[in-house]
Amino acid sequence: MRVSNVMDYARVFGQKGITVDVEGLCGRIIRGKTPNDFLTLTDDPSRKIVMLVDSTGLQKMVGKTGYEMLLEVGYEPDYLKHKVEEGNSFKLVVFPEGGAAQLATWDNAIDMIKEAYPDQADKIERQRHALKNTSFDEIQRRAGFKFLDIEKSGKNDPLFMTYERFKQSSGTLIDVRLFLYFSVHLRELYSGDGWTYMGSGQRGVKEYIILNKPITELGESEMIDIIVDIPSALPIKKGGIHVSSRLKVHLVIIDPQNDFCDKEIPGFFKPTLAVTGGYAAMSKVAGLIDRVGKRLEDIHVTLDSHRLVDVGHPALWMDQNGKEPGWFTIISADDIAAGIWTPRVPGLRPKLLKYARELEAKKKYQITIWPPHCIIGTWGHNVHPEVNDALQRWSGKELAMVDYVTKGSNPYTEHYGALMAEVPDPTDPGTSLNTDFLKVLSEADIILLTGLASSHCVKETGDQIVNNIGTEHIKKIHILTDCTAPVAAVPGGPDYPAIAQQWLIDMQKKGVTLTTSDQFMF
């Protein structure tokens, strides 16, 4: 069906399952809270420039839901939800093509903005090259804050760049981009190539730019109501979460190493501290990377990195007969004081007795003798093969660097958590709180926590993040419960699976989201 006038378009607008060919029309979606907001092409009387869609864009709107339509023209999901919650409604005004509309490229936009604000033309022109060659995300990173957060705060926020504030500014790239964001409404998804883009990065329709006009000056026109049914954001579906691709999602994989995976290479290698279900859990992590890798801003992989002689390995200790302790032996401070267990290097006894007492004072773990594992340079230290392959594919496709974080190389303190050792060694900064890593995580919108084992290194990493990142960031953390597994219970010793399960419950009470790799959707 060919549609070339506004009345015919209005009739077919909401019909599903029909094919239309729209020509000779253009339009604009207007939002507002009162009837007066719909008298011009924008509800903002101070706004001098607005964006339009062409006939192809109008054609793509036929039969779509209001939500789908607004995403199609470039609304970012979180911003759209924010506007609906403010009480805005949306209408589509359709009118014949022709007149002063220009394709919304950077050059055309800058020229029209200079025309609309002649007294600020020099400032805008100075940043033409930078605007065309610097991504919005990079400008926002340099600014050190999110423009959407300022939008939510409103004009009382001094960073909300009104025309009056822009006149007083020095006209830096950030100043100009703030002005274009708030006063010209060139938002996160504006690319400057003349096309709209969806949050997924998919190209939408062509868009045009025009000086603001009253609807009555557009000639024949039709105003069509748009029903916008916003999915809850971020919409929870069957225990999972669907996120906007504009969010910064960081995947944290704790110790995805061969020695923790319950799979051996017969005749060659055998894991020394296999976690039941560990290999399968890491395979799920690999699948997650392949499925959503293009949405991940960063991947952090921690690597347990030990020496053979280590406070948690048998080689450092002996009993009164010179015999090494067996695997999973618990060595208490009292055992060291009584000489039941003593370091093979006698001079280390005061140091390790002090360490054992400090460790026990934290009421989490005592010294545990583990099978020697993740020894630097060995097969057991290497990353799970499927995870490693997925990481390399991600790095190659996204031209991104995997962030590897090593821990555990200091032989005199256990280092379960990724952010700091159980008892920091004042002579070794590498055992103290990793503030750089913490800062990177705090800048993420979503932190996906996975890895091995949930009873130890994942647990401690989660606790360290929650205890140090600030309460406002805790809701960012999502533990993928099928992408982790606990150490088995020790006969006559700790029930590690029960400890891990209780920890998950405690994390959920603190505001952390528990989900799975299948339920976490993009």
Side-chain angles (χ1 to χ4, degrees):
M1 178 188 300
R2 178 165 295 179
V3 175
S4 58
N5 67 71
V6 296
M7 294 301 294
D8 287 343
Y9 182 83
R11 279 193 291 269
V12 303
F13 176 71
Q15 297 183 32
K16 296 183 180 297
I18 65 170
T19 301
V20 298
D21 181 11
V22 179
E23 60 180 25
L25 300 177
C26 61
R28 172 172 169 77
I29 293 175
I30 309 171
R31 69 165 184 266
K33 300 177 183 177
T34 69
N36 288 338
D37 293 334
F38 298 95
L39 297 179
T40 64
L41 287 171
T42 172
D43 64 326
D44 183 354
S46 66
R47 187 173 171 188
K48 298 183 178 183
I49 294 173
V50 295
M51 315 298 285
L52 306 173
V53 296
D54 68 352
S55 57
T56 303
L58 293 176
Q59 183 173 305
K60 290 187 176 183
M61 293 182 193
V62 174
K64 280 188 166 60
T65 67
Y67 181 71
E68 292 169 340
M69 190 185 312
L70 293 170
L71 294 185
E72 184 78 45
V73 299
Y75 273 85
E76 200 276 337
D78 287 345
Y79 179 78
L80 178 54
K81 177 177 182 290
H82 169 61
K83 285 302 176 185
V84 171
E85 289 175 344
E86 284 187 336
N88 285 278
S89 58
F90 298 82
K91 297 178 185 291
L92 171 66
V93 58
V94 183
F95 51 93
E97 283 183 346
Q102 297 287 321
L103 192 64
T105 62
W106 268 121
D107 283 327
N108 287 341
I110 290 170
D111 289 343
M112 192 171 290
I113 294 164
K114 288 167 59 180
E115 179 183 350
Y117 301 95
D119 59 332
Q120 300 302 305
D122 288 346
K123 285 182 184 177
I124 296 166
E125 180 60 37
R126 284 200 302 269
Q127 300 300 337
R128 181 187 292 263
H129 178 78
L131 289 168
K132 293 169 63 176
N133 292 280
T134 312
S135 70
F136 179 83
D137 286 343
E138 173 60 20
I139 292 174
Q140 195 168 235
R141 186 192 67 78
R142 294 181 192 178
F145 54 83
K146 293 184 178 180
F147 288 22
L148 179 58
D149 290 342
I150 307 303
E151 169 79 14
K152 291 178 180 178
S153 298
K155 294 183 179 180
N156 289 332
D157 192 310
L159 293 174
F160 193 107
M161 191 65 75
T162 63
Y163 171 63
E164 293 301 322
R165 286 170 179 160
F166 185 58
K167 288 197 298 184
Q168 303 301 316
S169 76
S170 57
T172 65
L173 175 60
I174 293 171
D175 291 335
V176 172
R177 194 64 185 87
L178 281 167
F179 176 64
L180 300 186
Y181 186 93
F182 294 120
S183 297
V184 184
H185 292 229
L186 301 186
R187 301 292 185 177
E188 292 92 340
L189 298 182
Y190 175 74
S191 65
D193 65 357
W195 294 83
T196 64
Y197 285 85
M198 299 179 69
S200 64
Q202 179 182 352
R203 194 168 74 173
V205 300
K206 283 187 177 180
E207 64 179 349
Y208 288 79
I209 191 166
I210 189 173
L211 294 173
N212 188 24
K213 292 176 177 289
I215 303 298
T216 55
E217 294 183 11
L218 297 174
E220 180 188 4
S221 64
E222 186 72 18
M223 191 84 75
I224 305 171
D225 289 333
I226 299 174
I227 306 302
V228 182
D229 184 11
I230 300 287
S232 27
L234 303 168
I236 302 296
K237 297 182 180 180
K238 297 181 181 179
I241 182 167
H242 177 83
V243 307
S244 161
S245 64
R246 300 295 298 178
L247 295 179
K248 294 189 290 186
V249 182
H250 286 215
L251 173 62
V252 180
I253 314 173
I254 303 300
D255 303 354
Q257 293 161 275
N258 287 327
D259 266 345
F260 296 131
C261 296
D262 51 341
K263 185 174 181 179
E264 63 180 285
I265 301 177
F268 291 93
F269 302 110
K270 184 176 182 178
T272 60
L273 187 50
V275 173
T276 301
Y279 193 94
M282 293 305 93
S283 294
K284 285 185 175 291
V285 172
L288 178 73
I289 295 169
D290 285 336
R291 180 168 64 86
V292 303
K294 64 181 179 180
R295 311 285 196 233
L296 299 175
E297 181 182 77
D298 210 345
I299 300 179
H300 312 279
V301 178
T302 71
L303 297 174
D304 217 24
S305 302
H306 293 303
R307 307 170 193 276
L308 181 65
V309 178
D310 183 276
V311 68
H313 289 168
L316 185 62
W317 299 94
M318 63 180 181
D319 63 12
Q320 294 169 327
N321 299 316
K323 184 178 178 181
E324 291 182 355
W327 295 351
F328 305 108
T329 297
I330 303 297
I331 297 180
S332 68
D334 288 344
D335 290 339
I336 299 172
I340 297 173
W341 296 108
T342 189
R344 288 186 178 276
V345 179
L348 289 176
R349 186 172 181 275
K351 178 183 181 74
L352 293 184
L353 177 59
K354 179 175 181 292
Y355 167 74
R357 286 172 173 160
E358 291 179 356
L359 191 64
E360 291 173 10
K362 294 177 179 289
K363 298 181 179 179
K364 291 193 297 185
Y365 302 105
Q366 292 177 298
I367 295 174
T368 302
I369 301 303
W370 301 103
H373 61 281
C374 298
I375 305 299
I376 299 168
T378 67
W379 171 84
H381 184 260
N382 292 343
V383 173
H384 176 286
E386 293 177 23
V387 172
N388 182 61
D389 288 346
L391 291 173
Q392 304 315 316
R393 285 192 293 270
W394 177 80
S395 183
K397 288 179 181 178
E398 305 303 322
L399 296 179
M401 301 294 182
V402 178
D403 176 31
Y404 292 99
V405 180
T406 60
K407 63 185 181 67
S409 297
N410 186 310
Y412 306 121
T413 180
E414 287 156 306
H415 203 146
Y416 297 123
L419 270 68
M420 63 189 299
E422 292 302 294
V423 178
D425 182 343
T427 67
D428 182 358
T431 64
S432 299
L433 182 65
N434 188 337
T435 54
D436 289 340
F437 188 25
L438 189 65
K439 183 177 185 299
V440 170
L441 293 179
S442 69
E443 292 171 351
D445 296 306
I446 298 287
I447 302 168
L448 301 180
L449 187 58
T450 68
L452 299 171
S454 55
S455 54
H456 287 79
C457 297
V458 177
K459 174 181 179 294
E460 290 307 307
T461 299
D463 284 343
Q464 289 172 359
I465 295 173
V466 166
N467 293 337
N468 292 282
I469 201 170
T471 55
E472 71 275 18
H473 298 293
I474 292 175
K475 63 183 180 181
K476 299 176 179 180
I477 304 169
H478 296 71
I479 301 173
L480 304 187
T481 56
D482 63 331
C483 292
T484 186
V487 172
V490 176
D495 185 347
Y496 292 127
I499 291 171
Q501 186 59 37
Q502 184 58 50
W503 172 70
L504 290 174
I505 294 171
D506 294 341
M507 286 292 100
Q508 193 169 37
K509 289 179 180 178
K510 292 178 180 181
V512 172
T513 297
L514 304 184
T515 184
T516 68
S517 59
D518 294 330
Q519 293 169 340
F520 189 88
M521 300 171 291
F522 281 85

